[in-house]
Coordinates of all heavy atoms in Angstrom, one line a residue:
K1 N 223.6 2.6 169.9 CA 224.4 2.6 171.1 C 225.1 3.9 171.2 O 225.7 4.4 170.2 CB 225.4 1.4 171.2 CG 226.3 1.5 172.4 CD 227.4 0.4 172.2 CE 228.2 0.3 173.4 NZ 229.3 1.2 173.5
R2 N 225.0 4.6 172.3 CA 225.6 5.8 172.5 C 227.1 5.6 172.9 O 227.4 4.8 173.8 CB 224.9 6.6 173.6 CG 225.5 8.0 173.8 CD 224.5 8.9 174.6 NE 225.2 10.2 174.8 CZ 225.5 10.7 176.0 NH1 225.2 10.0 177.0 NH2 226.0 11.8 175.9
V3 N 228.1 6.2 172.3 CA 229.4 6.2 172.6 C 229.8 7.3 173.4 O 229.6 8.5 173.1 CB 230.3 6.1 171.3 CG1 231.7 5.9 171.7 CG2 229.7 4.9 170.5
H4 N 230.3 7.0 174.7 CA 230.8 8.1 175.6 C 232.2 8.6 175.2 O 233.0 7.9 174.5 CB 230.8 7.6 177.0 CG 229.4 7.2 177.4 ND1 228.4 8.1 178.0 CD2 228.8 5.9 177.4 CE1 227.4 7.4 178.2 NE2 227.5 6.2 178.0
M5 N 232.4 9.8 175.5 CA 233.5 10.6 175.2 C 234.8 9.7 175.7 O 235.8 9.6 174.9 CB 233.6 12.0 175.9 CG 234.7 12.8 175.4 SD 234.6 13.2 173.7 CE 233.0 14.0 173.6
N6 N 234.8 9.2 176.8 CA 235.9 8.5 177.4 C 236.2 7.4 176.4 O 237.3 7.0 176.3 CB 235.7 8.1 178.8 CG 234.6 7.1 179.1 OD1 233.5 7.3 178.6 ND2 234.8 6.0 179.7
E7 N 235.2 6.6 176.0 CA 235.4 5.4 175.0 C 236.1 5.9 173.7 O 237.0 5.3 173.2 CB 234.0 4.8 174.7 CG 233.5 4.1 176.0 CD 232.0 3.7 175.7 OE1 231.4 4.1 174.6 OE2 231.5 3.1 176.6
K8 N 235.7 7.1 173.1 CA 236.2 7.6 172.0 C 237.7 7.9 172.2 O 238.6 7.5 171.5 CB 235.6 8.9 171.5 CG 234.2 8.6 171.0 CD 233.5 10.0 170.5 CE 232.3 9.8 170.0 NZ 231.6 11.1 169.5
V9 N 238.0 8.6 173.3 CA 239.4 9.0 173.6 C 240.3 7.7 173.8 O 241.4 7.7 173.4 CB 239.5 9.9 174.9 CG1 240.9 10.3 175.3 CG2 238.8 11.2 174.5
R10 N 239.8 6.7 174.6 CA 240.4 5.5 174.9 C 240.8 4.9 173.7 O 241.9 4.4 173.4 CB 239.6 4.7 175.8 CG 240.5 3.4 176.3 CD 239.6 2.6 177.3 NE 238.5 2.0 176.6 CZ 237.2 2.0 177.0 NH1 237.0 2.6 178.3 NH2 236.2 1.5 176.4
A11 N 239.7 4.7 172.7 CA 240.0 4.0 171.4 C 241.1 4.8 170.6 O 241.9 4.1 170.0 CB 238.5 4.0 170.6
Y12 N 241.0 6.1 170.6 CA 242.1 6.8 170.0 C 243.6 6.6 170.4 O 244.5 6.3 169.6 CB 241.7 8.3 170.0 CG 242.8 9.2 169.2 CD1 242.6 9.6 167.9 CD2 243.9 9.6 169.9 CE1 243.5 10.3 167.2 CE2 244.8 10.4 169.2 CZ 244.6 10.7 167.9 OH 245.6 11.5 167.2
I13 N 243.6 6.5 171.7 CA 244.8 6.3 172.4 C 245.4 4.9 172.0 O 246.5 4.7 171.6 CB 244.7 6.4 173.9 CG1 244.6 7.9 174.3 CG2 246.0 5.8 174.7 CD1 244.2 8.2 175.7
D14 N 244.4 3.8 172.0 CA 244.8 2.5 171.8 C 245.2 2.3 170.3 O 246.3 1.7 169.9 CB 243.7 1.6 172.2 CG 243.5 1.5 173.7 OD1 244.4 2.0 174.4 OD2 242.4 0.9 174.1
E15 N 244.4 3.0 169.5 CA 244.6 2.8 168.0 C 246.0 3.4 167.6 O 246.6 3.0 166.6 CB 243.6 3.5 167.1 CG 242.3 2.8 167.2 CD 241.0 3.5 166.7 OE1 241.2 4.7 166.1 OE2 239.9 3.1 166.9
H16 N 246.3 4.5 168.3 CA 247.7 5.1 167.9 C 248.8 4.7 168.7 O 249.9 5.2 168.6 CB 247.4 6.7 168.0 CG 246.6 7.3 166.9 ND1 245.2 7.2 167.1 CD2 246.8 7.9 165.7 CE1 244.6 7.8 165.9 NE2 245.7 8.1 165.2
G17 N 248.5 3.7 169.5 CA 249.6 3.2 170.3 C 250.3 4.2 171.3 O 251.6 4.1 171.6
L18 N 249.4 5.1 171.9 CA 250.1 6.1 172.8 C 250.4 5.5 174.1 O 249.6 4.7 174.6 CB 249.2 7.3 172.8 CG 248.9 7.9 171.5 CD1 247.9 9.1 171.7 CD2 250.1 8.4 170.8
C19 N 251.4 6.0 174.8 CA 251.9 5.5 176.1 C 251.1 6.2 177.2 O 251.2 7.4 177.4 CB 253.3 5.8 176.3 SG 254.0 5.4 177.9
R20 N 250.3 5.5 177.9 CA 249.4 6.1 179.0 C 250.2 6.7 180.0 O 249.9 7.8 180.7 CB 248.4 5.1 179.7 CG 247.4 4.8 178.6 CD 246.4 3.8 179.2 NE 245.5 3.3 178.1 CZ 244.3 2.8 178.3 NH1 243.9 2.5 179.6 NH2 243.5 2.5 177.4
K21 N 251.4 6.2 180.4 CA 252.3 6.8 181.4 C 252.8 8.1 181.0 O 252.7 9.1 181.8 CB 253.5 5.8 181.6 CG 254.4 6.4 182.6 CD 255.6 5.3 182.8 CE 256.3 5.6 184.2 NZ 257.3 4.5 184.5
Y22 N 253.1 8.3 179.7 CA 253.5 9.6 179.2 C 252.4 10.6 179.1 O 252.5 11.8 179.5 CB 253.9 9.4 177.7 CG 254.4 10.8 177.0 CD1 255.7 11.2 177.4 CD2 253.7 11.1 176.1 CE1 256.0 12.5 176.7 CE2 254.0 12.3 175.3 CZ 255.2 12.9 175.7 OH 255.6 14.1 175.1
I23 N 251.2 10.1 178.7 CA 250.0 10.9 178.7 C 249.8 11.5 180.1 O 249.5 12.7 180.4 CB 248.8 10.1 178.1 CG1 248.9 9.8 176.7 CG2 247.5 11.0 178.3 CD1 248.0 8.8 176.1
A24 N 249.7 10.6 181.2 CA 249.5 11.0 182.6 C 250.4 12.0 183.0 O 250.0 13.0 183.6 CB 249.4 9.8 183.5
L25 N 251.6 11.8 182.7 CA 252.7 12.7 183.1 C 252.5 14.0 182.5 O 252.5 15.1 183.1 CB 254.1 12.2 182.6 CG 255.3 13.0 183.0 CD1 255.5 13.0 184.4 CD2 256.5 12.4 182.3
N26 N 252.1 14.2 181.2 CA 251.7 15.4 180.6 C 250.5 16.1 181.1 O 250.4 17.3 180.9 CB 251.7 15.2 179.0 CG 253.1 15.1 178.4 OD1 254.1 16.0 178.8 ND2 253.4 14.1 177.5
M27 N 249.7 15.3 181.6 CA 248.5 15.9 182.1 C 248.7 16.3 183.6 O 247.9 17.0 184.2 CB 247.3 14.9 182.2 CG 246.8 14.5 180.8 SD 245.5 13.2 181.0 CE 244.2 14.0 182.0
G28 N 249.8 15.8 184.2 CA 250.1 16.3 185.6 C 249.1 15.3 186.6 O 248.8 15.7 187.7
T29 N 248.9 14.1 186.1 CA 248.0 13.2 187.0 C 248.8 11.8 187.0 O 249.8 11.6 186.4 CB 246.7 13.1 186.3 OG1 245.8 12.4 187.5 CG2 246.6 12.3 185.1
S30 N 248.1 11.0 187.7 CA 248.8 9.6 187.8 C 248.1 8.6 186.7 O 247.0 8.9 186.2 CB 248.4 8.9 189.2 OG 247.0 8.7 189.4
E31 N 249.0 7.6 186.5 CA 248.4 6.5 185.5 C 247.0 6.0 186.0 O 246.2 5.8 185.2 CB 249.4 5.4 185.4 CG 250.5 5.8 184.4 CD 251.4 4.6 184.3 OE1 251.2 3.7 183.4 OE2 252.5 4.5 184.9
S32 N 247.0 5.8 187.3 CA 245.8 5.3 187.9 C 244.6 6.2 187.7 O 243.5 5.7 187.3 CB 245.9 5.0 189.4 OG 244.9 4.7 190.0
R33 N 244.7 7.5 187.9 CA 243.6 8.3 187.7 C 243.2 8.4 186.2 O 242.1 8.5 185.8 CB 244.0 9.7 188.2 CG 242.7 10.8 188.1 CD 243.1 12.0 188.9 NE 241.9 12.9 188.9 CZ 241.6 13.8 187.9 NH1 242.4 13.7 186.8 NH2 240.5 14.5 187.9
L34 N 244.3 8.5 185.3 CA 244.0 8.5 183.9 C 243.2 7.2 183.4 O 242.2 7.3 182.7 CB 245.3 8.5 183.0 CG 245.2 8.4 181.5 CD1 244.4 9.5 180.9 CD2 246.6 8.4 180.8
S35 N 243.6 6.1 183.9 CA 242.9 4.8 183.7 C 241.3 4.9 184.2 O 240.5 4.5 183.4 CB 243.5 3.7 184.4 OG 243.0 2.4 184.1
Q36 N 241.2 5.5 185.3 CA 239.8 5.6 185.8 C 239.0 6.5 184.9 O 237.8 6.2 184.6 CB 239.8 6.2 187.3 CG 240.4 5.3 188.3 CD 240.6 6.0 189.6 OE1 240.5 7.2 189.8 NE2 240.8 5.1 190.6
L37 N 239.7 7.6 184.5 CA 239.0 8.6 183.5 C 238.6 7.8 182.3 O 237.5 7.9 181.7 CB 239.9 9.7 183.2 CG 240.0 10.7 184.3 CD1 241.2 11.6 183.9 CD2 238.8 11.5 184.7
L38 N 239.6 7.0 181.6 CA 239.3 6.5 180.4 C 238.4 5.3 180.4 O 237.7 4.9 179.5 CB 240.6 6.0 179.9 CG 241.6 7.0 179.4 CD1 243.0 6.4 179.0 CD2 241.1 8.0 178.3
N39 N 238.3 4.7 181.6 CA 237.3 3.5 181.8 C 236.0 3.9 182.4 O 235.2 3.0 182.6 CB 238.1 2.4 182.7 CG 239.1 1.8 182.0 OD1 239.2 1.5 180.8 ND2 240.3 1.5 182.7
G40 N 235.9 5.1 182.6 CA 234.5 5.6 183.1 C 234.2 5.3 184.5 O 233.2 5.6 184.9
K41 N 235.4 5.1 185.3 CA 235.1 4.9 186.7 C 235.3 6.1 187.4 O 234.9 6.3 188.6 CB 236.3 4.0 187.2 CG 236.4 2.6 186.5 CD 236.0 1.6 187.3 CE 236.3 0.2 186.8 NZ 235.2 -0.3 186.4
R42 N 235.7 7.2 186.8 CA 235.8 8.6 187.3 C 235.2 9.6 186.1 O 235.5 9.3 185.1 CB 237.2 9.0 187.7 CG 237.4 10.3 188.2 CD 238.9 10.7 188.4 NE 239.4 9.9 189.6 CZ 239.6 10.4 190.8 NH1 239.2 11.6 191.1 NH2 240.2 9.7 191.7
R43 N 234.4 10.5 186.7 CA 233.8 11.4 185.6 C 234.9 12.3 185.2 O 235.6 12.9 185.9 CB 232.7 12.2 186.4 CG 231.9 13.1 185.5 CD 230.8 13.8 186.1 NE 229.8 14.0 185.1 CZ 228.6 13.5 185.2 NH1 228.3 12.7 186.1 NH2 227.9 13.7 184.2
M44 N 234.9 12.6 183.7 CA 235.9 13.3 183.2 C 235.4 14.8 183.2 O 234.3 15.0 182.5 CB 236.2 12.9 181.8 CG 237.4 13.5 181.1 SD 237.7 13.0 179.4 CE 238.2 11.3 179.7
T45 N 236.1 15.6 183.9 CA 235.7 17.1 183.8 C 236.1 17.8 182.6 O 237.0 17.3 181.8 CB 236.3 17.9 185.1 OG1 237.7 18.0 184.8 CG2 235.9 17.1 186.3
V46 N 235.7 19.0 182.3 CA 236.2 19.7 181.1 C 237.7 19.9 181.2 O 238.4 19.9 180.3 CB 235.5 21.0 181.1 CG1 236.0 21.9 180.0 CG2 233.9 20.9 180.8
D47 N 238.2 20.3 182.5 CA 239.6 20.4 182.6 C 240.5 19.2 182.3 O 241.4 19.2 181.7 CB 239.9 20.8 184.1 CG 239.5 22.3 184.4 OD1 239.3 23.1 183.4 OD2 239.4 22.7 185.5
D48 N 239.9 18.0 182.7 CA 240.5 16.8 182.5 C 240.7 16.6 181.0 O 241.6 16.1 180.5 CB 239.7 15.5 183.2 CG 239.7 15.5 184.6 OD1 240.7 15.9 185.2 OD2 238.8 15.0 185.2
Y49 N 239.5 16.7 180.3 CA 239.3 16.6 178.9 C 240.3 17.4 178.2 O 240.9 17.0 177.3 CB 237.9 16.8 178.4 CG 237.7 16.6 177.0 CD1 237.8 15.3 176.4 CD2 237.5 17.7 176.2 CE1 237.7 15.1 175.0 CE2 237.3 17.4 174.7 CZ 237.4 16.2 174.2 OH 237.3 16.0 172.9
M50 N 240.4 18.7 178.5 CA 241.2 19.6 177.9 C 242.7 19.3 178.0 O 243.5 19.3 177.1 CB 241.0 21.2 178.2 CG 239.6 21.6 178.0 SD 239.3 21.6 176.2 CE 240.2 22.9 175.6
A51 N 243.1 18.9 179.3 CA 244.4 18.4 179.6 C 244.8 17.2 178.7 O 246.0 17.0 178.2 CB 244.7 18.3 181.0
L52 N 243.9 16.2 178.7 CA 244.1 15.0 177.9 C 244.3 15.3 176.5 O 245.3 14.8 175.8 CB 242.8 14.1 178.2 CG 242.9 12.7 177.5 CD1 244.2 12.0 177.7 CD2 241.7 11.9 177.9
C53 N 243.4 16.1 175.9 CA 243.5 16.5 174.5 C 245.0 17.1 174.2 O 245.6 16.7 173.2 CB 242.4 17.3 173.9 SG 240.9 16.5 173.8
Q54 N 245.3 17.9 175.1 CA 246.6 18.7 175.0 C 247.8 17.7 175.1 O 248.7 17.7 174.3 CB 246.7 19.8 176.1 CG 248.2 20.5 175.8 CD 248.2 21.7 176.8 OE1 247.3 21.9 177.7 NE2 249.2 22.5 176.6
A55 N 247.7 16.7 176.0 CA 248.7 15.7 176.1 C 248.9 14.8 175.1 O 250.0 14.3 174.7 CB 248.4 14.9 177.4
I56 N 247.7 14.5 174.3 CA 247.9 13.7 173.0 C 247.9 14.5 171.8 O 247.9 13.9 170.7 CB 246.8 12.7 173.1 CG1 245.3 13.2 172.9 CG2 246.9 11.6 174.2 CD1 244.3 12.2 172.8
A57 N 248.0 15.8 171.9 CA 248.1 16.7 170.8 C 247.0 16.6 169.8 O 247.2 16.4 168.6 CB 249.5 16.5 170.2
V58 N 245.8 16.6 170.4 CA 244.6 16.4 169.6 C 243.6 17.6 169.8 O 243.5 18.0 171.0 CB 243.9 15.1 169.8 CG1 242.5 15.1 169.1 CG2 244.7 14.0 169.3
D59 N 243.1 18.2 168.7 CA 242.2 19.3 169.0 C 240.9 18.7 169.7 O 240.4 17.7 169.3 CB 241.7 19.8 167.5 CG 240.7 20.9 167.6 OD1 239.8 20.9 168.3 OD2 241.0 21.9 166.8
P60 N 240.4 19.3 170.7 CA 239.4 18.9 171.6 C 238.0 18.6 170.8 O 237.3 17.8 171.3 CB 239.1 20.1 172.6 CG 240.4 20.7 172.7 CD 241.1 20.6 171.3
R61 N 237.8 19.4 169.6 CA 236.8 19.2 168.8 C 236.7 17.7 168.1 O 235.7 17.2 167.6 CB 236.7 20.3 167.9 CG 236.3 21.6 168.5 CD 236.5 22.7 167.4 NE 237.8 22.8 167.1 CZ 238.3 23.8 166.4 NH1 237.4 24.8 165.9 NH2 239.5 24.0 166.0
T62 N 237.9 17.1 168.1 CA 238.0 15.9 167.3 C 237.0 14.9 167.8 O 236.4 14.1 167.0 CB 239.4 15.3 167.6 OG1 240.4 16.3 167.0 CG2 239.6 13.9 166.8
F63 N 236.8 14.8 169.1 CA 236.0 13.7 169.5 C 234.5 14.0 169.7 O 233.7 13.3 170.1 CB 236.4 13.2 171.0 CG 238.0 12.7 170.9 CD1 238.9 13.5 171.4 CD2 238.2 11.5 170.4 CE1 240.2 13.0 171.4 CE2 239.5 11.1 170.2 CZ 240.5 11.8 170.7
Y64 N 234.1 15.2 169.2 CA 232.7 15.7 169.1 C 232.2 15.7 167.7 O 231.1 16.0 167.6 CB 232.7 17.1 169.7 CG 232.7 17.3 171.2 CD1 233.9 17.7 171.9 CD2 231.6 17.0 171.9 CE1 233.8 17.7 173.1 CE2 231.6 17.2 173.3 CZ 232.6 17.6 173.9 OH 232.7 17.7 175.3
Q65 N 233.0 15.1 166.9 CA 232.5 15.1 165.3 C 231.3 14.3 165.2 O 230.4 14.6 164.4 CB 233.7 14.7 164.5 CG 234.9 15.6 164.5 CD 234.5 17.0 164.2 OE1 233.8 17.2 163.3 NE2 235.1 17.9 164.9
S66 N 231.3 13.2 165.9 CA 230.2 12.3 165.8 C 229.7 11.8 167.2 O 230.6 11.7 168.1 CB 230.3 11.1 164.9 OG 231.4 10.3 165.4
T67 N 228.4 11.6 167.4 CA 227.9 11.2 168.7 C 227.9 9.6 168.8 O 227.6 9.1 169.9 CB 226.5 11.8 168.9 OG1 225.6 11.4 167.9 CG2 226.5 13.2 169.2
S68 N 227.9 8.9 167.7 CA 228.0 7.5 167.7 C 229.1 6.9 166.7 O 229.5 7.6 165.9 CB 226.7 7.0 167.4 OG 226.3 7.3 166.0
M69 N 229.4 5.6 167.0 CA 230.3 5.1 166.0 C 229.7 3.9 165.2 O 228.7 3.5 165.4 CB 231.6 4.5 167.0 CG 232.4 5.4 167.7 SD 233.5 4.7 168.5 CE 235.1 4.9 167.5

């Protein structure tokens, strides 16, 4: 099974108990839009991905380490 980037990021956020409201605020977006990105309802652009990684203080390469879980 191929694991998509949004699933990896969502799992990381959930595992670390990060506040989505705080992440959205730091990304300069709404909680609703963040939720759409994390749930695959909206395509995540490179800019979205970079802003999200910065908001959760994670190196963007972190989620590229493996293509499957």
Side-chain angles (χ1 to χ4, degrees):
K1 177 187 185 268
R2 183 165 182 241
V3 178
H4 296 279
M5 190 64 57
N6 63 309
E7 294 170 349
K8 290 182 183 184
V9 176
R10 186 178 66 227
Y12 181 91
I13 289 169
D14 292 344
E15 287 169 12
H16 289 82
L18 303 177
C19 176
R20 290 184 184 198
K21 184 175 189 171
Y22 178 77
I23 294 167
L25 181 67
N26 281 314
M27 287 178 67
T29 193
S30 67
E31 280 184 84
S32 172
R33 186 167 184 280
L34 175 60
S35 179
Q36 291 173 347
L37 291 169
L38 294 176
N39 292 319
K41 306 255 189 244
R42 180 184 289 261
R43 184 177 211 112
M44 191 178 299
T45 67
V46 171
D47 289 339
D48 292 327
Y49 180 70
M50 296 302 286
L52 180 50
C53 287
Q54 184 173 7
I56 62 175
V58 171
D59 186 312
R61 294 172 289 191
T62 300
F63 303 107
Y64 280 99
Q65 298 305 318
S66 63
T67 55
S68 62
M69 292 178 104

